[in-house]
PDB file of all heavy atoms in Angstrom:
ATOM      1  N   PHE A   1       3.606   6.025   6.432  1.00 96.00           N
ATOM      2  CA  PHE A   1       3.914   5.448   5.124  1.00 96.00           C
ATOM      3  C   PHE A   1       3.101   6.054   4.036  1.00 96.00           C
ATOM      4  O   PHE A   1       3.623   6.396   2.944  1.00 96.00           O
ATOM      5  CB  PHE A   1       3.831   3.915   5.166  1.00 96.00           C
ATOM      6  CG  PHE A   1       4.295   3.277   3.879  1.00 96.00           C
ATOM      7  CD1 PHE A   1       5.696   3.150   3.655  1.00 96.00           C
ATOM      8  CD2 PHE A   1       3.384   2.770   2.948  1.00 96.00           C
ATOM      9  CE1 PHE A   1       6.126   2.589   2.449  1.00 96.00           C
ATOM     10  CE2 PHE A   1       3.857   2.137   1.813  1.00 96.00           C
ATOM     11  CZ  PHE A   1       5.201   2.054   1.571  1.00 96.00           C
ATOM     12  N   ILE A   2       1.788   6.186   4.222  1.00 96.00           N
ATOM     13  CA  ILE A   2       0.930   6.679   3.224  1.00 96.00           C
ATOM     14  C   ILE A   2       1.306   8.107   2.909  1.00 96.00           C
ATOM     15  O   ILE A   2       1.351   8.464   1.725  1.00 96.00           O
ATOM     16  CB  ILE A   2      -0.560   6.644   3.770  1.00 96.00           C
ATOM     17  CG1 ILE A   2      -1.023   5.184   3.729  1.00 96.00           C
ATOM     18  CG2 ILE A   2      -1.506   7.566   2.908  1.00 96.00           C
ATOM     19  CD1 ILE A   2      -2.376   4.967   4.424  1.00 96.00           C
ATOM     20  N   ALA A   3       1.656   8.870   3.880  1.00 97.00           N
ATOM     21  CA  ALA A   3       2.117  10.295   3.634  1.00 97.00           C
ATOM     22  C   ALA A   3       3.411  10.318   2.881  1.00 97.00           C
ATOM     23  O   ALA A   3       3.540  11.040   1.865  1.00 97.00           O
ATOM     24  CB  ALA A   3       2.231  11.011   4.943  1.00 97.00           C
ATOM     25  N   ARG A   4       4.420   9.461   3.350  1.00 97.00           N
ATOM     26  CA  ARG A   4       5.715   9.504   2.682  1.00 97.00           C
ATOM     27  C   ARG A   4       5.638   8.962   1.240  1.00 97.00           C
ATOM     28  O   ARG A   4       6.331   9.427   0.337  1.00 97.00           O
ATOM     29  CB  ARG A   4       6.679   8.700   3.444  1.00 97.00           C
ATOM     30  CG  ARG A   4       7.163   9.410   4.700  1.00 97.00           C
ATOM     31  CD  ARG A   4       8.198   8.551   5.487  1.00 97.00           C
ATOM     32  NE  ARG A   4       8.761   9.268   6.546  1.00 97.00           N
ATOM     33  CZ  ARG A   4       9.891   9.864   6.553  1.00 97.00           C
ATOM     34  NH1 ARG A   4      10.659   9.868   5.454  1.00 97.00           N
ATOM     35  NH2 ARG A   4      10.343  10.466   7.625  1.00 97.00           N
ATOM     36  N   ALA A   5       4.799   7.920   1.013  1.00 97.00           N
ATOM     37  CA  ALA A   5       4.738   7.216  -0.274  1.00 97.00           C
ATOM     38  C   ALA A   5       3.851   8.093  -1.249  1.00 97.00           C
ATOM     39  O   ALA A   5       3.805   7.797  -2.433  1.00 97.00           O
ATOM     40  CB  ALA A   5       4.190   5.876  -0.092  1.00 97.00           C
ATOM     41  N   LYS A   6       3.070   8.996  -0.686  1.00 96.00           N
ATOM     42  CA  LYS A   6       2.108   9.824  -1.416  1.00 96.00           C
ATOM     43  C   LYS A   6       1.127   8.938  -2.238  1.00 96.00           C
ATOM     44  O   LYS A   6       0.919   9.109  -3.414  1.00 96.00           O
ATOM     45  CB  LYS A   6       2.892  10.723  -2.382  1.00 96.00           C
ATOM     46  CG  LYS A   6       3.758  11.711  -1.662  1.00 96.00           C
ATOM     47  CD  LYS A   6       4.537  12.581  -2.588  1.00 96.00           C
ATOM     48  CE  LYS A   6       5.401  13.513  -1.729  1.00 96.00           C
ATOM     49  NZ  LYS A   6       6.564  13.977  -2.324  1.00 96.00           N
ATOM     50  N   ILE A   7       0.552   8.001  -1.429  1.00 96.00           N
ATOM     51  CA  ILE A   7      -0.529   7.141  -1.990  1.00 96.00           C
ATOM     52  C   ILE A   7      -1.697   7.220  -1.077  1.00 96.00           C
ATOM     53  O   ILE A   7      -1.563   7.712   0.119  1.00 96.00           O
ATOM     54  CB  ILE A   7      -0.072   5.662  -2.218  1.00 96.00           C
ATOM     55  CG1 ILE A   7       0.380   5.059  -0.825  1.00 96.00           C
ATOM     56  CG2 ILE A   7       1.013   5.534  -3.229  1.00 96.00           C
ATOM     57  CD1 ILE A   7       0.734   3.582  -0.919  1.00 96.00           C
ATOM     58  N   ASP A   8      -2.837   6.822  -1.547  1.00 96.00           N
ATOM     59  CA  ASP A   8      -3.988   6.865  -0.654  1.00 96.00           C
ATOM     60  C   ASP A   8      -4.188   5.521   0.045  1.00 96.00           C
ATOM     61  O   ASP A   8      -3.540   4.484  -0.349  1.00 96.00           O
ATOM     62  CB  ASP A   8      -5.273   7.291  -1.339  1.00 96.00           C
ATOM     63  CG  ASP A   8      -5.620   6.447  -2.504  1.00 96.00           C
ATOM     64  OD1 ASP A   8      -5.610   5.140  -2.371  1.00 96.00           O
ATOM     65  OD2 ASP A   8      -5.887   6.901  -3.623  1.00 96.00           O
ATOM     66  N   ARG A   9      -4.988   5.468   1.059  1.00 95.00           N
ATOM     67  CA  ARG A   9      -5.224   4.246   1.882  1.00 95.00           C
ATOM     68  C   ARG A   9      -5.715   3.109   1.031  1.00 95.00           C
ATOM     69  O   ARG A   9      -5.297   1.996   1.162  1.00 95.00           O
ATOM     70  CB  ARG A   9      -6.234   4.551   2.988  1.00 95.00           C
ATOM     71  CG  ARG A   9      -6.446   3.338   3.873  1.00 95.00           C
ATOM     72  CD  ARG A   9      -7.323   3.701   5.050  1.00 95.00           C
ATOM     73  NE  ARG A   9      -6.661   4.539   6.078  1.00 95.00           N
ATOM     74  CZ  ARG A   9      -5.849   4.027   7.028  1.00 95.00           C
ATOM     75  NH1 ARG A   9      -5.713   2.734   7.130  1.00 95.00           N
ATOM     76  NH2 ARG A   9      -5.303   4.868   7.907  1.00 95.00           N
ATOM     77  N   LYS A  10      -6.658   3.396   0.081  1.00 97.00           N
ATOM     78  CA  LYS A  10      -7.209   2.338  -0.798  1.00 97.00           C
ATOM     79  C   LYS A  10      -6.156   1.692  -1.673  1.00 97.00           C
ATOM     80  O   LYS A  10      -6.126   0.484  -1.825  1.00 97.00           O
ATOM     81  CB  LYS A  10      -8.345   2.880  -1.663  1.00 97.00           C
ATOM     82  CG  LYS A  10      -9.034   1.819  -2.460  1.00 97.00           C
ATOM     83  CD  LYS A  10     -10.242   2.374  -3.244  1.00 97.00           C
ATOM     84  CE  LYS A  10     -10.756   1.242  -4.014  1.00 97.00           C
ATOM     85  NZ  LYS A  10     -12.075   1.568  -4.582  1.00 97.00           N
ATOM     86  N   THR A  11      -5.270   2.566  -2.215  1.00 97.00           N
ATOM     87  CA  THR A  11      -4.178   1.999  -3.031  1.00 97.00           C
ATOM     88  C   THR A  11      -3.268   1.133  -2.218  1.00 97.00           C
ATOM     89  O   THR A  11      -2.884   0.027  -2.662  1.00 97.00           O
ATOM     90  CB  THR A  11      -3.395   3.165  -3.655  1.00 97.00           C
ATOM     91  OG1 THR A  11      -4.251   3.942  -4.522  1.00 97.00           O
ATOM     92  CG2 THR A  11      -2.182   2.718  -4.480  1.00 97.00           C
ATOM     93  N   LEU A  12      -2.893   1.583  -1.018  1.00 96.00           N
ATOM     94  CA  LEU A  12      -2.090   0.765  -0.099  1.00 96.00           C
ATOM     95  C   LEU A  12      -2.768  -0.565   0.103  1.00 96.00           C
ATOM     96  O   LEU A  12      -2.087  -1.632   0.047  1.00 96.00           O
ATOM     97  CB  LEU A  12      -1.831   1.515   1.172  1.00 96.00           C
ATOM     98  CG  LEU A  12      -0.997   0.736   2.181  1.00 96.00           C
ATOM     99  CD1 LEU A  12       0.361   0.405   1.650  1.00 96.00           C
ATOM    100  CD2 LEU A  12      -0.857   1.518   3.473  1.00 96.00           C
ATOM    101  N   GLU A  13      -4.029  -0.549   0.439  1.00 94.00           N
ATOM    102  CA  GLU A  13      -4.779  -1.821   0.744  1.00 94.00           C
ATOM    103  C   GLU A  13      -4.710  -2.778  -0.435  1.00 94.00           C
ATOM    104  O   GLU A  13      -4.504  -4.008  -0.294  1.00 94.00           O
ATOM    105  CB  GLU A  13      -6.167  -1.516   1.211  1.00 94.00           C
ATOM    106  CG  GLU A  13      -6.286  -0.808   2.500  1.00 94.00           C
ATOM    107  CD  GLU A  13      -5.619  -1.429   3.662  1.00 94.00           C
ATOM    108  OE1 GLU A  13      -5.589  -2.654   3.770  1.00 94.00           O
ATOM    109  OE2 GLU A  13      -5.081  -0.660   4.523  1.00 94.00           O
ATOM    110  N   ILE A  14      -4.913  -2.211  -1.580  1.00 96.00           N
ATOM    111  CA  ILE A  14      -4.912  -3.057  -2.871  1.00 96.00           C
ATOM    112  C   ILE A  14      -3.474  -3.636  -3.058  1.00 96.00           C
ATOM    113  O   ILE A  14      -3.330  -4.855  -3.370  1.00 96.00           O
ATOM    114  CB  ILE A  14      -5.290  -2.257  -4.108  1.00 96.00           C
ATOM    115  CG1 ILE A  14      -6.792  -1.948  -4.004  1.00 96.00           C
ATOM    116  CG2 ILE A  14      -5.003  -2.959  -5.384  1.00 96.00           C
ATOM    117  CD1 ILE A  14      -7.319  -0.881  -4.971  1.00 96.00           C
ATOM    118  N   TRP A  15      -2.492  -2.805  -2.886  1.00 96.00           N
ATOM    119  CA  TRP A  15      -1.105  -3.304  -3.090  1.00 96.00           C
ATOM    120  C   TRP A  15      -0.660  -4.348  -2.011  1.00 96.00           C
ATOM    121  O   TRP A  15       0.017  -5.248  -2.368  1.00 96.00           O
ATOM    122  CB  TRP A  15      -0.137  -2.142  -3.125  1.00 96.00           C
ATOM    123  CG  TRP A  15      -0.293  -1.250  -4.304  1.00 96.00           C
ATOM    124  CD1 TRP A  15      -1.188  -1.414  -5.353  1.00 96.00           C
ATOM    125  CD2 TRP A  15       0.431  -0.103  -4.598  1.00 96.00           C
ATOM    126  NE1 TRP A  15      -0.983  -0.475  -6.273  1.00 96.00           N
ATOM    127  CE2 TRP A  15      -0.008   0.425  -5.886  1.00 96.00           C
ATOM    128  CE3 TRP A  15       1.497   0.529  -3.954  1.00 96.00           C
ATOM    129  CZ2 TRP A  15       0.557   1.523  -6.463  1.00 96.00           C
ATOM    130  CZ3 TRP A  15       2.033   1.694  -4.586  1.00 96.00           C
ATOM    131  CH2 TRP A  15       1.520   2.187  -5.807  1.00 96.00           C
ATOM    132  N   ILE A  16      -1.250  -4.206  -0.833  1.00 95.00           N
ATOM    133  CA  ILE A  16      -0.965  -5.232   0.180  1.00 95.00           C
ATOM    134  C   ILE A  16      -1.700  -6.537  -0.220  1.00 95.00           C
ATOM    135  O   ILE A  16      -1.162  -7.636  -0.123  1.00 95.00           O
ATOM    136  CB  ILE A  16      -1.349  -4.691   1.605  1.00 95.00           C
ATOM    137  CG1 ILE A  16      -0.402  -3.640   2.025  1.00 95.00           C
ATOM    138  CG2 ILE A  16      -1.361  -5.870   2.595  1.00 95.00           C
ATOM    139  CD1 ILE A  16      -0.813  -2.941   3.306  1.00 95.00           C
ATOM    140  N   GLU A  17      -2.948  -6.392  -0.646  1.00 95.00           N
ATOM    141  CA  GLU A  17      -3.756  -7.624  -1.052  1.00 95.00           C
ATOM    142  C   GLU A  17      -3.060  -8.274  -2.186  1.00 95.00           C
ATOM    143  O   GLU A  17      -3.091  -9.516  -2.211  1.00 95.00           O
ATOM    144  CB  GLU A  17      -5.151  -7.115  -1.354  1.00 95.00           C
ATOM    145  CG  GLU A  17      -6.071  -8.260  -1.688  1.00 95.00           C
ATOM    146  CD  GLU A  17      -7.485  -7.739  -2.051  1.00 95.00           C
ATOM    147  OE1 GLU A  17      -8.030  -6.912  -1.240  1.00 95.00           O
ATOM    148  OE2 GLU A  17      -8.018  -8.097  -3.059  1.00 95.00           O
ATOM    149  N   GLU A  18      -2.522  -7.520  -3.108  1.00 96.00           N
ATOM    150  CA  GLU A  18      -1.819  -8.112  -4.253  1.00 96.00           C
ATOM    151  C   GLU A  18      -0.473  -8.651  -3.923  1.00 96.00           C
ATOM    152  O   GLU A  18       0.214  -9.300  -4.759  1.00 96.00           O
ATOM    153  CB  GLU A  18      -1.688  -7.086  -5.385  1.00 96.00           C
ATOM    154  CG  GLU A  18      -2.949  -6.632  -6.009  1.00 96.00           C
ATOM    155  CD  GLU A  18      -3.569  -7.740  -6.916  1.00 96.00           C
ATOM    156  OE1 GLU A  18      -2.820  -8.565  -7.406  1.00 96.00           O
ATOM    157  OE2 GLU A  18      -4.773  -7.750  -7.009  1.00 96.00           O
ATOM    158  N   GLU A  19      -0.038  -8.382  -2.649  1.00 94.00           N
ATOM    159  CA  GLU A  19       1.302  -8.750  -2.134  1.00 94.00           C
ATOM    160  C   GLU A  19       2.447  -8.052  -2.823  1.00 94.00           C
ATOM    161  O   GLU A  19       3.535  -8.538  -2.919  1.00 94.00           O
ATOM    162  CB  GLU A  19       1.467 -10.315  -2.112  1.00 94.00           C
ATOM    163  CG  GLU A  19       0.467 -10.948  -1.179  1.00 94.00           C
ATOM    164  CD  GLU A  19       0.685 -12.460  -1.137  1.00 94.00           C
ATOM    165  OE1 GLU A  19       1.448 -12.998  -1.935  1.00 94.00           O
ATOM    166  OE2 GLU A  19       0.024 -13.017  -0.292  1.00 94.00           O
ATOM    167  N   TRP A  20       2.129  -6.834  -3.353  1.00 97.00           N
ATOM    168  CA  TRP A  20       3.210  -6.029  -3.879  1.00 97.00           C
ATOM    169  C   TRP A  20       3.981  -5.372  -2.780  1.00 97.00           C
ATOM    170  O   TRP A  20       5.138  -5.121  -2.954  1.00 97.00           O
ATOM    171  CB  TRP A  20       2.653  -4.984  -4.869  1.00 97.00           C
ATOM    172  CG  TRP A  20       1.922  -5.515  -6.078  1.00 97.00           C
ATOM    173  CD1 TRP A  20       1.859  -6.789  -6.461  1.00 97.00           C
ATOM    174  CD2 TRP A  20       1.251  -4.753  -7.085  1.00 97.00           C
ATOM    175  NE1 TRP A  20       1.138  -6.819  -7.664  1.00 97.00           N
ATOM    176  CE2 TRP A  20       0.734  -5.611  -8.072  1.00 97.00           C
ATOM    177  CE3 TRP A  20       0.966  -3.371  -7.239  1.00 97.00           C
ATOM    178  CZ2 TRP A  20       0.061  -5.210  -9.155  1.00 97.00           C
ATOM    179  CZ3 TRP A  20       0.279  -2.956  -8.313  1.00 97.00           C
ATOM    180  CH2 TRP A  20      -0.171  -3.882  -9.290  1.00 97.00           C
ATOM    181  N   LEU A  21       3.305  -5.072  -1.755  1.00 96.00           N
ATOM    182  CA  LEU A  21       3.944  -4.673  -0.467  1.00 96.00           C
ATOM    183  C   LEU A  21       3.540  -5.643   0.643  1.00 96.00           C
ATOM    184  O   LEU A  21       2.361  -6.035   0.742  1.00 96.00           O
ATOM    185  CB  LEU A  21       3.382  -3.270  -0.077  1.00 96.00           C
ATOM    186  CG  LEU A  21       3.768  -2.085  -1.059  1.00 96.00           C
ATOM    187  CD1 LEU A  21       3.019  -0.878  -0.635  1.00 96.00           C
ATOM    188  CD2 LEU A  21       5.299  -1.812  -0.934  1.00 96.00           C
ATOM    189  N   VAL A  22       4.546  -5.981   1.456  1.00 93.00           N
ATOM    190  CA  VAL A  22       4.279  -6.889   2.542  1.00 93.00           C
ATOM    191  C   VAL A  22       4.800  -6.256   3.831  1.00 93.00           C
ATOM    192  O   VAL A  22       5.968  -6.370   4.147  1.00 93.00           O
ATOM    193  CB  VAL A  22       4.958  -8.222   2.276  1.00 93.00           C
ATOM    194  CG1 VAL A  22       4.658  -9.216   3.453  1.00 93.00           C
ATOM    195  CG2 VAL A  22       4.516  -8.888   0.958  1.00 93.00           C
ATOM    196  N   PRO A  23       3.909  -5.583   4.572  1.00 92.00           N
ATOM    197  CA  PRO A  23       4.384  -4.863   5.770  1.00 92.00           C
ATOM    198  C   PRO A  23       4.685  -5.842   6.857  1.00 92.00           C
ATOM    199  O   PRO A  23       4.281  -6.979   6.869  1.00 92.00           O
ATOM    200  CB  PRO A  23       3.141  -4.042   6.144  1.00 92.00           C
ATOM    201  CG  PRO A  23       1.996  -4.758   5.602  1.00 92.00           C
ATOM    202  CD  PRO A  23       2.473  -5.413   4.291  1.00 92.00           C
ATOM    203  N   GLN A  24       5.464  -5.383   7.823  1.00 89.00           N
ATOM    204  CA  GLN A  24       5.789  -6.160   8.981  1.00 89.00           C
ATOM    205  C   GLN A  24       4.646  -5.891  10.017  1.00 89.00           C
ATOM    206  O   GLN A  24       4.277  -4.725  10.170  1.00 89.00           O
ATOM    207  CB  GLN A  24       7.124  -5.692   9.610  1.00 89.00           C
ATOM    208  CG  GLN A  24       8.316  -5.824   8.637  1.00 89.00           C
ATOM    209  CD  GLN A  24       9.491  -5.022   9.171  1.00 89.00           C
ATOM    210  OE1 GLN A  24       9.461  -4.447  10.232  1.00 89.00           O
ATOM    211  NE2 GLN A  24      10.551  -5.006   8.359  1.00 89.00           N
TER     212      GLN A  24
END
């Protein structure tokens, strides 16, 4: 997902924490 979305791990973690993304 990080590779396809072209975001870094830290950004992903922040977006998950903010609940902008909610992974299964």
Side-chain angles (χ1 to χ4, degrees):
F1 185 75
I2 288 169
R4 286 180 175 263
K6 298 178 181 153
I7 58 175
D8 58 49
R9 182 176 288 276
K10 182 175 180 170
T11 298
L12 178 61
E13 296 303 325
I14 291 169
W15 290 0
I16 291 171
E17 185 177 310
E18 292 290 330
E19 297 181 351
W20 295 357
L21 291 171
V22 181
Q24 303 165 3

